[in-house]
Amino acid sequence: MSEFVLECLDIHKSYSEAGQRLQVLSGVNLQLRASERLAIVGASGSGKSTLLNVLGGLDRPCSGSVRIAGERFSELSDNKRGLIRNRRLGFVYQFHHLLPEFSALENVAMPLRIAGKKATEQESRASELLERVGLGQRLTHKPSQLSGGERQRAAIARALAMQPDCVLLDEPTGNLDKKNAENIHQLINELSAELATAFVIVTHDEHLAARLDRCLVLEDGSLQERRP
């Protein structure tokens, strides 16, 4: 068993655009331990979201390897990669991506439903998580009935439903006011400590980045450690 919950080794990623080859990632390396909280910062267009998609198996690298708990995740078939992604990874986006027709409870239970868990287990786990993120009184509310901060907390609860090794967050506070952003900061710190879950957070929020265990800067296609 690897000591790292998530690794990427010499990741390269490029795209063809208007007949030109656009190099986005050039030899990215990263190692993440259980319960570690990591910020990734960089200028707009530097490739942060591309990197997050590669780490999460939503996109394949042109070369290099992504490993989840030592397993060569990026080299698996789409089907196997999807199974591991549902079991070992959680995702939170700037825009919550909750399903509008479902309640908060049903949204949080969705990964468990996809994994084939029993209905009683789905409801129990989803209720427990919503209670933990402060939404115990909002189980039956649909996303349109929740505030922006509440929707983002529900999205974090959904990301944790399968007790993943790592949660990947793309600008989780980018659409929130200062007070709600602070609440999300605090929640991430508490959950990391309680659940031994690692968090990788792509952010422009320097206040959030400064409060995490490490901060890496994506520049010219590679990651560099930001020193205090």
Side-chain angles (χ1 to χ4, degrees):
M1 186 71 174
S2 172
E3 65 177 302
F4 302 111
V5 297
L6 176 66
E7 294 177 88
C8 65
L9 308 172
D10 197 27
I11 293 295
H12 291 255
K13 182 67 180 179
S14 60
Y15 298 98
S16 291
E17 189 174 279
Q20 300 293 318
R21 200 71 180 164
L22 177 64
Q23 192 72 35
V24 182
L25 304 175
S26 304
V28 170
N29 292 284
L30 173 66
Q31 295 175 319
L32 189 74
R33 289 180 168 85
S35 78
E36 189 172 11
R37 300 164 304 149
L38 173 69
I40 296 177
V41 301
S44 295
S46 60
K48 300 185 300 297
S49 293
T50 296
L51 174 58
L52 212 62
N53 287 338
V54 169
L55 292 178
L58 302 174
D59 200 359
R60 287 183 184 272
C62 296
S63 63
S65 176
V66 177
R67 299 180 183 181
I68 305 293
E71 188 164 9
R72 292 178 177 270
F73 178 58
S74 59
E75 298 165 31
L76 298 174
S77 68
D78 289 347
N79 185 52
K80 288 183 178 178
R81 207 163 66 251
L83 291 173
I84 289 178
R85 185 165 54 240
N86 186 57
R87 187 173 77 247
R88 291 190 173 274
L89 294 174
F91 294 85
V92 180
Y93 302 94
Q94 178 176 352
F95 299 99
H96 51 81
H97 290 191
L98 298 174
L99 299 171
E101 66 272 28
F102 293 106
S103 68
L105 183 71
E106 291 166 333
N107 267 286
V108 174
M110 195 60 66
L112 298 156
R113 181 178 179 181
I114 291 170
K117 303 295 184 183
K118 293 180 179 179
T120 52
E121 183 178 349
Q122 293 176 35
E123 183 172 344
S124 174
R125 176 68 176 161
S127 297
E128 174 189 325
L129 284 167
L130 284 165
E131 183 71 39
R132 176 60 193 82
V133 302
L135 295 176
Q137 304 302 313
R138 312 285 272 169
L139 303 185
T140 61
H141 290 67
K142 293 185 177 179
S144 62
Q145 299 170 303
L146 302 175
S147 70
E150 288 172 334
R151 288 193 289 267
Q152 202 64 316
R153 280 187 275 152
I156 290 172
R158 180 181 59 186
L160 293 166
M162 290 292 291
Q163 299 177 282
D165 298 311
C166 179
V167 176
L168 306 173
L169 304 96
D170 194 357
E171 297 286 1
T173 61
N175 200 37
L176 300 178
D177 61 32
K178 186 175 180 179
K179 180 180 178 181
N180 278 305
E182 175 60 31
N183 290 337
I184 295 299
H185 296 174
Q186 188 63 35
L187 183 60
I188 288 169
N189 290 338
E190 292 172 1
L191 292 170
S192 176
E194 290 173 18
L195 305 175
T197 299
F199 286 83
V200 176
I201 306 174
V202 163
T203 184
H204 283 101
D205 186 338
E206 292 290 347
H207 181 55
L208 171 58
R211 294 170 64 179
L212 303 180
D213 299 314
R214 282 196 293 152
C215 180
L216 301 180
V217 182
L218 184 60
E219 187 174 18
D220 297 328
S222 64
L223 283 174
Q224 304 295 329
E225 194 97 21
R226 175 183 281 181
R227 302 299 178 185

